């Protein structure tokens, strides 16, 4: 198959590029803004037609959650409009699309893991535009598969794991929120799951994927420092109200992964095992 990957320089896109050589029967077209402006409908249509694209994995998004609150236009363009263009273009070719979404489509007021059929109720510009993107993809592409994920990290780009390692080395004390609960997602694991789905065949619908387990940002930070060998920084638990941000964070964003495990027979790694693998790749000194 000819497969278009968008957002190839991001965390997930970078991990997909590392795994692609093991799937030599496919031709991957890795693109970012320099190669393809997905907010330009004519450009998307032309690229998909010219390269005979049969499937799309859309990893591109505006993910700066706080900046999104004052950048609604560009956030909407990337998170809502662009996915609609991609879905429409691949539908005309009878192809499929995998679209990456987020736990932020929920407001985090639940007390049990969110299943795919839970009613979305985003409480931020980022979450609202991502939900609208999901609806657009489902509307314009019959063979579409949406994966909601959460707390993504990798050796690439900017993310919580790399930030906590840097701050742990620079500071003697850190305050980290303990009243936001979720599950980290190692982008390498998610990339592998996506390519597994491509091989197994698209079964349309919404799916949830994160690593196994449940943890707070505070506990995650403690684990990051332990695995990275940082013992000179005291980590203190604080409330969300002690660290106000422009965008609302879901206090509880645990995703139920039963569906993707049952439909695709996946064995999802535990978050701490994946964290150790990631930190090992970062070559911590």
């Amino acid at each position: 198959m000819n497969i278009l990957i968008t957002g190839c320089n991001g965390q997930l896109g970078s991990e997909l590029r590392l795994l692609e050589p093991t799937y030599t029967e496919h031709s991957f077209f890795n693109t970012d803004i320099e190669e393809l402006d997905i907010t330009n409908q004519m450009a998307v249509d032309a690229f998909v037609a010219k390269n005979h694209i049969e499937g799309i994995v859309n990893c591109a998004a505006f993910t700066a959650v706080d900046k999104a609150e004052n950048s609604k236009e560009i956030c909407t363009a990337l998170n809502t409009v662009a996915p609609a263009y991609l879905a429409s273009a691949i539908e005309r070719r009878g192809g499929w699309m995998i679209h990456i979404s987020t736990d932020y489509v929920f407001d985090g007021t639940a007390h049990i893991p969110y299943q795919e059929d839970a009613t979305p109720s985003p409480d931020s510009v980022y979450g609202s535009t991502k939900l609208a993107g999901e609806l657009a993809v489902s509307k314009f592409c019959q063979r579409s598969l949406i994966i909601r994920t959460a707390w993504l990290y990798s050796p690439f780009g900017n993310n919580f794991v790399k930030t906590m390692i840097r701050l742990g080395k620079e500071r003697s004390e850190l305050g980290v929120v303990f009243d936001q609960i979720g599950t980290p997602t190692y982008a390498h694991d998610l990339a592998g799951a996506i390519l597994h789905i491509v091989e197994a065949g698209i079964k349309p619908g919404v799916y949830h994927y994160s690593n196994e387990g449940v943890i707070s940002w505070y506990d995650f930070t403690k684990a990051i420092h332990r695995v990275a060998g940082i013992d000179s920084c005291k980590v203190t638990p604080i409330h969300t109200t002690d660290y106000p941000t422009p965008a609302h964070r879901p206090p509880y964003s645990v995703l139920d992964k039963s569906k993707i495990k049952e439909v695709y027979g996946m064995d999802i790694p535990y978050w701490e095992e994946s964290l150790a693998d990631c930190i090992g790749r970062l070559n911590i000194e």
Side-chain angles (χ1 to χ4, degrees):
M1 288 184 288
N2 291 337
I3 301 172
L4 167 62
I5 308 290
T6 66
C8 74
N9 294 327
Q11 295 189 77
L12 183 56
S14 295
E15 294 286 6
L16 281 168
R17 281 190 289 135
L18 287 180
L19 293 175
E20 286 169 4
T22 61
Y23 294 83
T24 54
E25 69 274 25
H26 303 309
S27 294
F28 293 93
F29 294 77
N30 295 297
T31 68
D32 218 297
I33 183 62
E34 293 81 6
E35 295 80 23
L36 175 62
D37 179 3
I38 60 173
T39 66
N40 182 323
Q41 186 173 18
M42 291 181 63
V44 169
D45 290 344
F47 189 98
V48 169
K50 177 183 177 182
N51 296 292
H52 307 288
I53 300 299
E54 298 165 80
I56 296 174
V57 180
N58 181 33
C59 304
F62 188 102
T63 58
V65 176
D66 289 326
K67 290 182 180 179
E69 292 297 305
N70 294 313
S71 308
K72 189 172 183 178
E73 185 175 351
I74 183 62
C75 194
T76 300
L78 280 169
N79 293 349
T80 303
V81 178
Y85 291 162
L86 291 165
S88 297
I90 198 65
E91 177 69 13
R92 284 192 287 273
R93 291 190 51 80
W96 52 264
M97 179 171 172
I98 296 175
H99 176 67
I100 308 303
S101 192
T102 174
D103 59 310
Y104 275 72
V105 301
F106 302 115
D107 61 11
T109 58
H111 61 280
I112 57 173
Y114 283 99
Q115 295 184 328
E116 289 81 357
D117 59 358
T119 302
S121 53
D123 195 20
S124 65
V125 169
Y126 170 67
S128 297
T129 57
K130 288 296 288 182
L131 176 59
E134 286 187 13
L135 297 173
V137 169
S138 298
K139 177 180 179 181
F140 294 116
C141 180
Q142 293 184 46
R143 296 174 64 199
S144 62
L145 188 152
I146 292 161
I147 301 176
R148 294 177 182 143
T149 191
W151 295 24
L152 197 68
Y153 70 93
S154 78
F156 303 100
N158 298 315
N159 55 69
F160 187 81
V161 171
K162 292 172 73 174
T163 298
M164 290 302 105
I165 290 174
R166 176 177 57 82
L167 293 178
K169 291 180 176 181
E170 294 175 353
R171 301 182 184 179
S172 60
E173 186 171 353
L174 278 175
V176 183
V177 295
F178 75 94
D179 54 358
Q180 293 177 26
I181 308 298
T183 307
T185 306
Y186 185 25
H188 183 78
D189 293 338
L190 178 54
I194 289 169
L195 292 172
H196 173 80
I197 289 170
V198 170
E199 291 297 284
I202 303 299
K203 298 176 182 178
V206 178
Y207 297 81
H208 289 168
Y209 186 97
S210 65
N211 283 118
E212 296 284 22
V214 179
I215 199 168
S216 73
W217 287 115
Y218 164 74
D219 293 302
F220 192 31
T221 302
K222 295 283 285 185
I224 292 166
H225 285 187
R226 182 175 65 253
V227 174
I230 298 171
D231 56 12
S232 58
C233 179
K234 179 182 179 181
V235 182
T236 304
I238 63 173
H239 290 87
T240 297
T241 52
D242 296 327
Y243 188 73
T245 56
H248 174 263
R249 262 72 173 170
Y252 183 89
S253 60
V254 181
L255 301 175
D256 188 307
K257 299 173 286 289
S258 301
K259 181 179 177 181
I260 201 167
K261 289 191 287 188
E262 292 170 4
V263 173
Y264 284 102
M266 288 187 183
D267 183 16
I268 300 177
Y270 178 57
W271 69 265
E272 195 162 7
E273 297 166 0
S274 295
L275 174 65
D277 184 77
C278 179
I279 291 179
R281 291 171 62 194
L282 284 170
N283 296 318
I284 301 301
E285 296 179 358

